[in-house]
């Protein structure tokens, strides 16, 4: 199993993602946003959390136009699995790989805590090995309020693209959405941080099953 | 030529920052002010002097970069 983690200026969860993926992969590549190519034969491309480009213009909007994103889109079209966490989710929506967008939290507070997530779709590359119906994963965001138009919401519901929902909605997200995938089910964006939940000592281990689903 | 671009949230989109400003303003005794909506304003220099072509460039700039069509509307004016 091989994965790549892409770093942008302002990414700050790239190392955590690298450490988490190393538990499951034979090789994890570190890739800089100015690179224009990715290794072949990747099983997973991870877009990590942080504050790419200082959240200038809109969260994730400048990173979505980076050199490397053309290659990410090409590999996504080929069916390579893409995981965007937190700022990575924002980047994937801005890049048009996922529908909707992420607004400022409804209560305008930065939220940093563990939350319970309902796994509402276990038939995806990202959730098939999750045994529990509710998992506990940390969140840390200011702009995690998922929004899309009603027509889009109906589409993603009908296509079973919603993978994770908050048990107690912390940020105002429409329909309690915490994580969605694309129509082809190979691109997932989620605000909670599974890479912060792969060790008993920090954050618990409920994130493990997401990586096991992806990389087994 | 210079473009003056306004980007605003669509009416259907919640604006928590605008709401917080509205509440503060009301609490400070400024009456009759409500429904504040926060937006963005850009000024852009353009090498193009033909108005139709400049409009095309600014439309593309707004659609591809400055505005997110899911939540935002844009409008602009061109000045010599």
């Amino acid at each position: 199993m091989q994965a790549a983690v892409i770093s942008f200026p302002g990414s700050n969860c790239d190392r955590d993602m690298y450490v988490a993926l190393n538990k499951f992969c034979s090789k994890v590549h570190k890739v800089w946003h100015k690179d224009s190519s990715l290794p072949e034969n990747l099983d997973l491309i991870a877009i990590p959390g942080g504050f790419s480009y200082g959240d200038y213009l809109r969260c994730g909007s400048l990173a979505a136009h980076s050199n490397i994103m053309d290659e990410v889109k090409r590999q996504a079209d080929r069916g390579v699995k893409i995981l965007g966490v937190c700022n990575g989710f924002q980047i994937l929506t801005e890049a048009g790989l996922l529908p909707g967008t992420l607004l400022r939290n409804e209560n305008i507070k930065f939220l940093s805590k563990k939350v319970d997530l309902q796994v509402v779709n276990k038939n995806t590359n990202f959730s098939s090995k999750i045994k529990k119906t509710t998992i506990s994963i940390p969140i840390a965001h200011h702009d995690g309020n998922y929004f899309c138009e009603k027509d889009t919401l109906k589409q993603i519901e009908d296509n079973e693209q919603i993978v994770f929902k908050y048990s107690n909605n912390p940020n105002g997200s429409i329909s309690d959405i915490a994580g969605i995938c694309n129509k082809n089910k190979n691109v997932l964006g989620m605000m909670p941080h599974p890479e912060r939940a792969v060790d008993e000592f920090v954050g618990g281990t409920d994130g493990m099953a997401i990586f096991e689903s992806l990389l087994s | 030529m210079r473009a003056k671009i306004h980007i605003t949230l669509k009416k259907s989109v919640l604006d928590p920052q605008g709401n917080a400003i509205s509440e503060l303003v009301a609490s400070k005794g400024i009456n009759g002010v409500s429904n504040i909506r926060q937006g963005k304003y850009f000024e852009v220099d353009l090498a193009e002097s033909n108005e139709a072509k400049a409009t095309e460039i600014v439309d593309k700039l707004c659609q591809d970069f400055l505005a997110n069509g899911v939540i935002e509307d844009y409008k602009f004016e061109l000045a010599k």
Side-chain angles (χ1 to χ4, degrees), chain A:
Chain A
M1 290 289 161
Q2 291 202 36
V5 180
I6 297 174
S7 298
F8 301 90
S11 295
N12 64 9
C13 302
D14 39 350
R15 189 177 176 280
D16 284 7
M17 185 64 83
Y18 178 80
V19 170
L21 288 174
N22 261 306
K23 290 175 186 268
F24 303 91
C25 297
S26 54
K27 174 75 183 166
V28 183
H29 303 266
K30 292 179 178 176
V31 179
W32 183 234
H33 72 110
K34 283 191 173 172
D35 294 349
S36 51
S37 66
L38 282 165
E40 292 302 321
N41 306 319
L42 288 174
D43 298 287
L44 173 70
I45 301 167
I47 318 277
F51 299 87
S52 58
Y53 292 91
D55 282 348
Y56 291 177
L57 189 59
R58 294 177 306 277
C59 300
S61 63
L62 300 187
H65 292 280
S66 295
N67 276 356
I68 197 67
M69 289 307 292
D70 290 335
E71 180 67 6
V72 171
K73 284 180 193 170
R74 192 180 68 79
Q75 297 228 9
D77 287 345
R78 273 177 42 202
V80 174
K81 288 171 274 187
I82 317 281
L83 170 67
V85 171
C86 199
N87 189 220
F89 186 8
Q90 295 161 343
I91 293 168
L92 291 176
T93 61
E94 284 284 345
L97 285 165
L98 291 172
T101 193
L102 284 308
L103 299 172
R104 181 58 43 97
N105 293 343
E106 196 170 49
N107 64 5
I108 54 176
K109 289 191 173 77
F110 187 96
L111 300 169
S112 179
K113 59 180 181 181
K114 268 175 108 171
V115 296
D116 285 340
L117 301 179
Q118 296 166 40
V119 188
V120 293
N121 184 354
K122 290 191 179 180
N123 296 318
T124 75
N125 290 315
F126 305 89
S127 54
S128 60
K129 293 284 167 69
I130 303 174
K131 293 193 177 75
K132 298 177 179 176
T133 50
T134 304
I135 55 175
S136 178
I137 306 278
I139 55 167
H141 61 245
H142 206 173
D143 299 80
N145 178 355
Y146 183 78
F147 176 85
C148 63
E149 294 293 344
K150 279 181 186 159
D151 294 352
T152 309
L153 181 63
K154 185 167 184 327
Q155 277 173 16
I156 62 176
E157 282 172 343
D158 290 351
N159 295 332
E160 299 183 329
Q161 289 172 244
I162 302 169
V163 183
F164 302 110
K165 284 193 175 195
Y166 298 109
S167 298
N168 297 297
N169 192 338
N171 55 24
S173 286
I174 196 163
S175 197
D176 304 324
I177 287 172
I180 55 161
C181 59
N182 64 342
K183 207 171 172 182
N184 291 336
K185 312 280 196 305
N186 69 313
V187 179
L188 177 105
M190 61 190 294
M191 289 312 295
H193 288 267
E195 81 282 7
R196 295 189 189 179
V198 293
D199 193 305
E200 293 286 356
F201 293 105
V202 275
T205 55
D206 278 2
M208 299 280 273
I210 294 173
F211 294 105
E212 282 164 7
S213 305
L214 274 170
L215 296 161
S216 57

Side-chain angles (χ1 to χ4, degrees), chain B residues 6 9 28 30 50 59 63:
Chain B
H6 291 269
L9 281 174
K28 291 293 176 185
I30 300 174
N50 177 294
D59 270 330
Q63 286 162 17

